[in-house]
Amino acid sequence: MAREDFYIHDDDPPGKQRILREGLRLFAQKGLSATSIRDIAAAAELSNPALYKHFRTKDDLALALFERAYREVLRRLTAATAREHGFAAKFRAYIVILAEFYDEHPHAMMFTTDNLAALWPHVPEKLRQRTVITLLRELLSDGRRDGLVGNRADPELQIALVTGMLNQITRQLYLGALGGPAGKYTDGIERILRSGLT
């Protein structure tokens, strides 16, 4: 049976599972700097020493959660775009997968996007070799080659357009400024982005 919380591994002991689950929720809701070890331990119904048995510091916990979430998003995006043919289908799959991931794991999505700048410098080199952005860069390059993405705009600005819109939509959903689920916005997001990329 597949585990609902991808960031919990089968060999994680029950206490560690609670730490991961509550740590992710608190980091997403309160922010990394505003969440203390004491907050996480209390939410996980553990003592501070019990938490330190699994993670030396709050930053170690944050990095473990970040890596697990980022790898899962990348895995899903890679698999979904590989199944499709042509820029239009691959680009739609990219948007749909991110919306589905948000709908299934809003805390993981917000935590990952909100803490990318702080945590990315600490991820293993292997994780940096293939990223969500490299996948998008390749996708947009295919779109330019096929004449479906404009050639006159700076490719990095096109990446910023896509990631900025997707990140802002999920933030608005998380804060309640937009009603969910994220999946109901995929057609509109795709239309706006395709228009902006031509």
Side-chain angles (χ1 to χ4, degrees):
M1 181 172 125
R3 185 180 291 282
E4 181 180 319
D5 295 327
F6 65 86
Y7 52 90
I8 306 275
H9 294 170
D10 288 336
D11 58 351
D12 288 334
K16 186 175 182 180
Q17 291 182 23
R18 291 197 310 273
I19 292 165
L20 289 163
R21 195 171 282 117
E22 294 303 326
L24 180 61
R25 180 184 64 79
L26 289 168
F27 289 153
Q29 291 177 342
K30 293 177 63 173
L32 189 53
S33 61
T35 302
S36 70
I37 284 289
R38 183 171 288 130
D39 295 333
I40 297 164
E45 299 178 343
L46 295 168
S47 65
N48 286 11
L51 191 145
Y52 288 124
K53 176 181 162 190
H54 299 290
F55 297 98
R56 289 181 310 121
T57 65
K58 176 179 80 168
D59 291 340
D60 286 348
L61 170 60
L63 187 58
L65 284 165
F66 179 84
E67 286 181 28
R68 291 179 184 193
Y70 194 90
R71 286 181 200 281
E72 180 66 11
V73 171
L74 182 59
R75 182 193 69 75
R76 291 184 187 198
L77 286 171
T78 301
T81 55
R83 283 192 298 267
E84 301 297 340
H85 300 284
F87 169 76
K90 287 177 180 286
F91 189 68
R92 177 164 182 79
Y94 191 94
I95 294 167
V96 166
I97 288 300
L98 287 174
E100 286 176 356
F101 185 79
Y102 175 83
D103 286 336
E104 293 170 19
H105 305 285
H107 296 318
M109 177 69 91
M110 292 313 302
F111 167 70
T112 305
T113 56
D114 284 352
N115 294 285
L116 185 64
L119 296 173
W120 187 253
H122 306 289
V123 301
E125 185 60 37
K126 186 175 181 182
L127 184 56
R128 296 182 204 199
Q129 292 172 359
R130 181 114 178 108
T131 68
V132 170
I133 298 298
T134 30
L135 182 63
L136 179 58
R137 185 176 285 117
E138 291 167 3
L139 187 56
L140 294 177
S141 177
D142 291 346
R144 281 189 292 280
R145 185 195 63 228
D146 296 346
L148 298 172
V149 173
N151 285 314
R152 292 186 299 205
D154 182 329
E156 296 307 309
L157 292 179
Q158 291 174 327
I159 289 170
L161 171 68
V162 175
T163 58
M165 181 173 189
L166 293 170
N167 289 345
Q168 188 58 33
I169 295 275
T170 54
R171 184 164 284 108
Q172 288 180 304
L173 286 161
Y174 195 77
L175 297 174
L178 283 177
K184 76 180 183 181
Y185 298 104
T186 54
D187 290 343
I189 292 168
E190 182 183 12
R191 275 195 305 276
I192 291 168
L193 287 176
R194 289 289 303 272
S195 175
L197 290 168
T198 56

